């Protein structure tokens, strides 16, 4: 659709930056630009009517302290030089090329919206889900509310991958409901967990305990869950002298390894047959690579087990690789959660994209081959690190934008994003309108004894944003 152009006002001719994505990467980028400039104006575009991205839909509901960053984001969004434009789907409602004409700089900060596949037979069977989708489901991401999650038929859940997201989905399933009922987990998820028959969660990794990606804080939480026993095998911790030396030189790794070893030794001191029949277990297995998801014997469309190949490790500690063995094991299960990593996607065919690394190719945040296009966060470096890592990454991209702005030429055929919105009859949601949604969520949560009850339907979000009660 051709955009009608007009002469821009003086305010519109001020340097303007567009940020695509209202999650941590987007808001930290905006924060740094606003703090380190006096006249640059920032628009933050978000495909959903609600902001905060991974801080809202990715952080575990029982980790409310991690979500405190949204207070900073709210301060940024309230800046007179910042504007939130929610419910604008870049790549569909407006193209990136059009944004590059309307703004002096465009920063892509939309994160990683897909998953790494296992790439094995049977991966499409019912009961095989990505951990990312499971997290989005219990956190109220509208796209995932129709996810087929039926825990009433699951006794054993198998998690492939040994990172913090894997621990999150394990902990949510194994936690007493009383620890979750006051959080912002959705009521639908709570009701599903109330019907759960899960007794055993098994986390499997292709390498050993020295290579786990989860961190000590999250693992310690698992060891303290009421009514849950963490099971690890002592033989997995028979380290060589070289491995012991490696551990002692890395303090975070040393502390985590010592905690895991202590847990494994505790298992030998407690006879498994003496465990309470009401006790749940969290088992951690190493040196196993999935090769096939096996159908259930009574339901060929649903998962019944996963076949794993046994591995040995080769190379120095810290750089070990798996070597396949001619040995296999099968682990029966009724649900599989794939937790081997998130993946970025190409938001628009006009945007360069590295299909191997699933990121936008860039040099220190400046998109390769583009004059005024930048990227920040996971779509820049891949899905690694914590929110603090994203903050530093976003600040670096913002600094690059500010360095380039004084010499950046004004767009050749300037257009106004407001004209695009008007002509295409889009319905942007402002930060003030988001506050209405937020207030309604808190009010509904209070009725349920929760911090909030998230709205999970986009149409309802838009009604609340417009002040429509029904």
């Amino acid at each position: 659709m051709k955009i009608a152009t007009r002469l821009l006002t003086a305010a519109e001719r001020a340097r303007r930056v567009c940020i695509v994505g209202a999650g941590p990467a987007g808001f930290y980028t905006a924060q740094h630009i606003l703090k380190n400039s006096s006249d640059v104006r920032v628009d933050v575009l978000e495909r959903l009517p609600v902001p905060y991205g991974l801080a809202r839909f990715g952080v575990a509901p029982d980790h409310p302290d991690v979500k405190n960053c949204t207070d900073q984001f709210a301060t940024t969004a309230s800046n007179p030089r910042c504007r939130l434009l929610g419910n604008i789907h870049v790549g569909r409602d407006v193209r990136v090329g059009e944004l590059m004409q309307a703004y002096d700089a465009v920063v892509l900060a939309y994160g990683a919206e897909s998953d790494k596949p296992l790439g094995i037979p049977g991966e499409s069977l019912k009961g095989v889900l990505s951990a990312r989708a499971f997290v989005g489901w219990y956190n109220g991401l509208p796209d995932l509310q129709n996810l087929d999650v039926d825990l009433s038929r699951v006794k054993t859940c198998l998690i492939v991958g040994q990172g913090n997201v894997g621990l999150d989905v394990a902990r949510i399933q194994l936690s007493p409901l009383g620890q979750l009922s006051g959080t912002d987990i959705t009521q639908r998820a709570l009701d599903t967990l109330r019907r759960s028959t899960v007794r055993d969660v098994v986390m499997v990794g292709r390498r050993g305990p020295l290579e786990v990606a989860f961190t000590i804080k999250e693992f310690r939480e698992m060891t303290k869950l009421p009514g849950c026993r963490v099971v690890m095998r002592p033989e997995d911790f028979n380290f060589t002298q070289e491995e012991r030396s490696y551990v002692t030189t890395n303090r975070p790794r040393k502390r985590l390894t010592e905690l895991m070893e202590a847990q494994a030794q505790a298992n030998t001191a407690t006879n498994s047959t003496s465990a309470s029949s009401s006790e749940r277990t969290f088992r951690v297995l190493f040196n196993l690579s999935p090769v096939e998801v096996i159908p259930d014997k009574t339901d060929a469309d649903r998962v019944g087990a996963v076949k794993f190949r046994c591995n040995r490790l080769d190379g120095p500690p810290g750089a070990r690789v798996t070597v396949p063995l001619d040995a296999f094991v099968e682990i029966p299960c009724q649900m599989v959660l794939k937790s081997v990593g998130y993946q970025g996607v190409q938001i628009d065919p006009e945007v360069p994209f590295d299909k191997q690394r699933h990121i936008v190719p860039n040099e220190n945040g400046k998109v390769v081959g583009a004059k005024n296009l930048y990227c920040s966060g996971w779509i820049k470096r891949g899905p690694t690190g914590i929110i603090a890592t994203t903050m530093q990454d976003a600040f670096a991209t913002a600094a690059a934008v500010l360095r380039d702005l004084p010499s950046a030429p004004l767009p050749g055929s300037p257009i106004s994003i407001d004209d695009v919105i008007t002509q295409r009859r889009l319905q942007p949601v402002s930060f003030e309108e988001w506050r209405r949604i937020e207030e309604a969520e808190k009010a509904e949560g209070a009725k349920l004894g929760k911090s909030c009850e998230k709205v999970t339907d986009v149409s309802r979000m838009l009604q609340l944003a417009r002040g429509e009660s029904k």
Side-chain angles (χ1 to χ4, degrees), residues 152-302:
S152 67
R153 61 192 302 160
V154 179
K155 286 185 171 59
T156 299
C157 172
L158 195 149
I159 299 170
V160 180
Q162 295 182 328
N164 283 339
V165 173
L167 287 185
D168 281 347
V169 297
R171 191 179 65 256
I172 292 298
Q173 293 182 77
L174 295 171
S175 291
L177 279 181
Q179 292 189 188
L180 299 174
S181 58
T183 70
D184 65 354
I185 190 171
T186 66
Q187 193 63 37
R188 174 184 294 183
L190 269 181
D191 293 340
T192 300
L193 290 167
R194 191 169 286 111
R195 296 187 294 269
S196 171
T197 56
V198 174
R199 310 306 306 164
D200 192 20
V201 174
V202 185
M203 172 179 268
V204 184
R206 62 189 176 91
R207 294 188 290 175
L210 297 186
E211 287 78 30
V212 295
F214 56 70
T215 49
I216 189 169
K217 177 180 180 293
E218 283 70 22
F219 182 71
R220 184 180 287 115
E221 284 182 299
M222 296 301 302
T223 69
K224 295 182 177 181
L225 275 183
C228 179
R229 189 164 59 100
V230 176
V231 178
M232 306 181 87
R233 301 180 302 187
E235 57 266 33
D236 287 325
F237 297 87
N238 293 332
F239 298 134
T240 65
Q241 187 57 48
E242 184 183 23
E243 290 169 332
R244 288 285 178 195
S245 298
Y246 167 74
V247 169
T248 58
T249 60
N250 185 321
R251 187 169 181 273
R253 179 67 62 182
K254 179 175 181 289
R255 293 174 60 231
L256 174 58
T257 303
E258 288 174 346
L259 179 60
M260 289 192 291
E261 278 192 280
Q263 201 63 45
Q265 293 302 322
N267 295 336
T268 63
T270 304
N271 190 318
S272 61
T273 60
S274 66
S276 167
S277 61
S278 63
E279 190 174 52
R280 296 179 176 184
T281 58
F282 174 60
R283 292 189 285 151
V284 186
L285 302 176
F286 301 103
N287 298 314
L288 296 172
S289 293
V291 294
E292 182 183 3
V293 181
I294 300 171
D296 183 77
K297 292 179 180 178
T298 61
D299 185 349
D301 294 328
R302 186 168 290 275

Side-chain angles (χ1 to χ4, degrees), residues 366-439:
K366 181 74 178 290
V367 176
V368 174
K371 62 179 181 179
N372 64 333
L373 188 61
Y374 302 78
C375 55
S376 178
W378 282 5
I379 199 61
K380 169 186 174 184
R381 70 180 190 278
T384 59
I386 57 178
I387 288 180
T389 315
T390 294
M391 177 181 69
Q392 295 302 322
D393 176 276
F395 287 175
T397 293
V401 171
L402 290 173
R403 280 195 302 270
D404 293 346
L405 273 184
S407 58
L410 288 171
S413 302
I415 61 175
S416 164
I417 189 64
D418 297 295
D419 291 343
V420 174
I421 289 170
T422 300
Q423 292 174 28
R424 294 181 184 170
R425 298 182 180 179
L426 304 179
Q427 300 180 59
V429 173
S430 68
F431 188 72
E432 292 72 21
E433 290 172 323
W434 144 245
R435 287 293 203 192
R436 294 176 187 166
I437 302 172
E438 184 180 42
E439 288 170 6

